[in-house]
Coordinates of all heavy atoms in Angstrom, one line a residue:
R77 N -76.1 145.5 22.4 CA -77.5 145.4 22.8 C -78.1 144.2 22.2 O -78.9 143.5 22.9 CB -78.2 146.7 22.4 CG -77.9 147.9 23.2 CD -78.6 147.9 24.5 NE -78.3 149.0 25.3 CZ -79.1 149.5 26.2 NH1 -80.2 149.0 26.4 NH2 -78.7 150.6 27.0
H97 N -88.5 143.7 17.9 CA -88.6 144.9 18.8 C -88.7 146.2 18.1 O -89.5 147.0 18.4 CB -87.3 144.9 19.7 CG -87.1 146.2 20.4 ND1 -87.9 146.5 21.6 CD2 -86.3 147.2 20.3 CE1 -87.5 147.7 22.0 NE2 -86.6 148.1 21.3
Y305 N -79.1 154.8 15.6 CA -79.9 154.3 16.7 C -79.0 154.4 18.0 O -79.6 154.4 19.1 CB -80.4 152.9 16.5 CG -81.3 152.4 17.6 CD1 -82.5 153.0 17.8 CD2 -81.0 151.3 18.3 CE1 -83.3 152.6 18.8 CE2 -81.8 150.8 19.3 CZ -83.0 151.5 19.5 OH -83.8 151.1 20.5
T307 N -77.5 156.8 19.3 CA -77.9 158.0 20.1 C -79.1 157.7 20.9 O -79.3 158.1 22.1 CB -78.2 159.2 19.2 OG1 -79.3 158.9 18.3 CG2 -77.0 159.6 18.4
L308 N -80.0 156.8 20.4 CA -81.2 156.5 21.1 C -80.9 155.5 22.2 O -81.5 155.5 23.3 CB -82.3 155.9 20.2 CG -82.7 156.8 19.1 CD1 -83.7 156.1 18.2 CD2 -83.4 158.1 19.7
V309 N -79.9 154.6 22.0 CA -79.6 153.6 23.0 C -79.1 154.4 24.2 O -79.4 154.0 25.4 CB -78.4 152.7 22.4 CG1 -77.9 151.9 23.6 CG2 -79.0 151.8 21.4
E310 N -78.3 155.4 24.0 CA -77.8 156.1 25.2 C -78.8 156.8 26.0 O -78.7 157.0 27.2 CB -76.7 157.1 24.7 CG -75.5 156.5 24.1 CD -74.6 157.5 23.4 OE1 -75.0 158.7 23.3 OE2 -73.6 157.0 22.8
D311 N -79.9 157.2 25.3 CA -80.9 158.0 26.0 C -82.1 157.2 26.5 O -82.8 157.6 27.4 CB -81.5 159.1 25.0 CG -80.5 160.1 24.6 OD1 -79.5 160.3 25.4 OD2 -80.6 160.7 23.5
H312 N -82.3 156.0 25.9 CA -83.5 155.2 26.3 C -83.0 153.8 26.7 O -82.9 152.9 25.9 CB -84.4 155.1 25.1 CG -84.9 156.4 24.6 ND1 -85.9 157.1 25.2 CD2 -84.5 157.2 23.6 CE1 -86.1 158.3 24.6 NE2 -85.3 158.3 23.6
D313 N -82.8 153.6 28.0 CA -82.3 152.4 28.5 C -83.3 151.2 28.3 O -82.9 150.1 28.2 CB -82.1 152.5 30.0 CG -80.9 153.4 30.3 OD1 -80.1 153.6 29.4 OD2 -80.8 153.9 31.5
E314 N -84.6 151.5 28.2 CA -85.6 150.4 28.0 C -85.4 149.8 26.6 O -85.9 148.7 26.4 CB -87.0 151.0 28.1 CG -87.5 151.8 27.0 CD -87.1 153.3 27.1 OE1 -86.3 153.6 27.9 OE2 -87.7 154.1 26.3
L315 N -84.7 150.4 25.7 CA -84.5 149.8 24.4 C -83.2 149.0 24.3 O -83.0 148.4 23.3 CB -84.5 150.9 23.3 CG -85.8 151.7 23.3 CD1 -85.7 152.8 22.2 CD2 -87.0 150.9 23.0

Side-chain angles (χ1 to χ4, degrees):
R77 288 282 179 154
H97 168 74
Y305 186 61
T307 58
L308 299 178
V309 169
E310 294 169 359
D311 294 335
H312 300 281
D313 290 340
E314 72 275 12
L315 302 179

